[in-house]
Amino acid sequence: MSLLLSRNITSMLLLAQGSKIWPRLSLLRPRAPPRTLGGEALGTRSRASSGRGSPRGPRLHTRLLVTALFGAGLGGAWLAAKTEKEQRRRQQRTEALRQAAVGQGDFSLLDHRGQPRCKADFRGQWVLMYFGFTHCPDICPDELEKLVQVVQRLEAEPGLPLVQPIFISVDPERDDVAAMARYVQDFHPRLLGLTGSTEQVAQVSRSYRVYYSAGPKDEDQDYIVDHSIAIYLLNPDGLFTDYYGRGRSAEQIADSVKQHMGTFHSILS
């Protein structure tokens, strides 16, 4: 009887204490994990989806492609406009040169071998022509050397026609056939020296609008001839095509001649 009473008392004490301990034990229960989708926390996925990170790959590639195509389009348009402008400038210059009526008519001169020469002798050839005189101290040698450099540059490019270099004297009093022969041999083997009488030189100079005037003679009967400084280009039809002043380099002249060769269409064929 005493054992049963003791067990009942112990059970009542445990129930009394349990009613006080249970709320505290409920605090120790583990919290439920966050809901997931495919093993990933919804909260984390939501934050990652709503964040503003780097753009997705396909979108970035598309933007780069559009930018590249836009830049290529601008570049192509600029190049086309530049080419059209250059062609228009050349056409305007060619038209202006034609209206200038330079190199009209024929001429009759002697070359440095004593052979008569006229304009028709050079038909079918590209010609670079310079007016000067053999006693010129510096300008004429410099310009003839530049002319020779142009001819050599063009000779070095396969497929281009040969250009005939010509030197015409504006000092017929001193530049006879023998003087021209001695002078031209120092420049280029194909350089052709032309001279003639006072009237013949005056005629060809007027035709190409070349100014020249002999200065006063010194005590040694020497003098300087003031004259126009330009290299003339004639096409295979014998027509004046372009001219080049002292400011143009051999490279620039050679490039210009090649452009004229590329656009040339004979009007006599």
Side-chain angles (χ1 to χ4, degrees):
M1 182 70 182
S2 60
L3 178 61
L4 180 60
L5 180 61
S6 176
R7 289 179 179 177
N8 291 335
I9 294 173
T10 302
S11 299
M12 294 176 63
L13 291 174
L14 289 175
L15 289 174
Q17 292 178 357
S19 61
K20 296 179 180 180
I21 295 173
W22 182 254
R24 298 177 185 178
L25 293 176
S26 64
L27 296 177
L28 299 178
R29 288 182 301 172
R31 295 182 180 180
R35 290 177 299 167
T36 61
L37 180 61
E40 182 181 357
L42 289 177
T44 305
R45 183 180 180 89
S46 176
R47 287 191 297 269
S49 299
S50 61
R52 296 184 179 181
S54 58
R56 296 180 181 178
R59 293 184 180 177
L60 178 59
H61 292 165
T62 302
R63 293 176 183 176
L64 291 176
L65 180 60
V66 171
T67 301
L69 292 176
F70 183 71
L74 287 179
W78 176 83
L79 183 60
K82 181 180 179 181
T83 302
E84 182 181 356
K85 181 179 179 181
E86 182 64 22
Q87 291 177 348
R88 185 166 60 250
R89 187 190 68 81
R90 286 200 299 265
Q91 291 174 354
Q92 291 174 349
R93 178 176 173 82
T94 301
E95 185 62 28
L97 293 174
R98 287 177 179 174
Q99 293 178 0
V102 176
Q104 301 296 315
D106 201 356
F107 60 78
S108 178
L109 298 168
L110 293 176
D111 66 21
H112 64 270
R113 302 183 185 92
Q115 300 296 318
R117 294 284 187 166
C118 64
K119 187 176 180 180
D121 293 335
F122 306 101
R123 186 72 51 79
Q125 303 178 66
W126 288 92
V127 174
L128 283 172
M129 186 166 57
Y130 177 76
F131 291 80
F133 63 109
T134 63
H135 287 73
C136 182
D138 47 21
I139 295 178
C140 292
D142 290 345
E143 290 300 296
L144 282 174
E145 184 61 34
K146 181 167 66 176
L147 187 152
V148 167
Q149 291 175 8
V150 174
V151 173
Q152 291 172 338
R153 284 176 177 269
L154 297 173
E155 287 176 339
E157 297 198 25
L160 292 181
L162 289 178
V163 175
Q164 175 61 55
I166 293 178
F167 171 53
I168 299 180
S169 174
V170 292
D171 186 15
E173 182 178 339
R174 294 179 293 184
D175 291 343
D176 56 14
V177 171
M180 295 293 284
R182 291 192 299 269
Y183 193 73
V184 298
Q185 67 181 358
D186 294 332
F187 293 95
H188 192 279
R190 292 195 296 106
L191 177 61
L192 193 66
L194 300 180
T195 188
S197 66
T198 302
E199 292 76 16
Q200 289 172 328
V201 170
Q203 178 186 0
V204 67
S205 299
R206 285 194 301 269
S207 177
Y208 288 94
R209 307 290 181 89
V210 175
Y211 162 81
Y212 68 97
S213 177
K217 297 180 179 180
D218 59 18
E219 56 185 13
D220 296 326
Q221 300 301 303
D222 193 13
Y223 56 91
I224 295 295
V225 180
D226 185 24
H227 63 90
S228 305
I229 303 171
I231 296 174
Y232 294 80
L233 175 65
L234 309 183
N235 68 24
D237 288 342
L239 301 178
F240 168 67
T241 302
D242 212 336
Y243 72 97
Y244 311 102
R246 292 184 66 188
R248 304 292 290 277
S249 67
E251 181 180 3
Q252 291 172 331
I253 297 175
D255 289 341
S256 175
V257 173
K258 286 189 292 185
Q259 289 179 358
H260 286 297
M261 287 179 173
T263 58
F264 172 71
H265 298 284
S266 177
I267 62 174
L268 302 180
S269 60

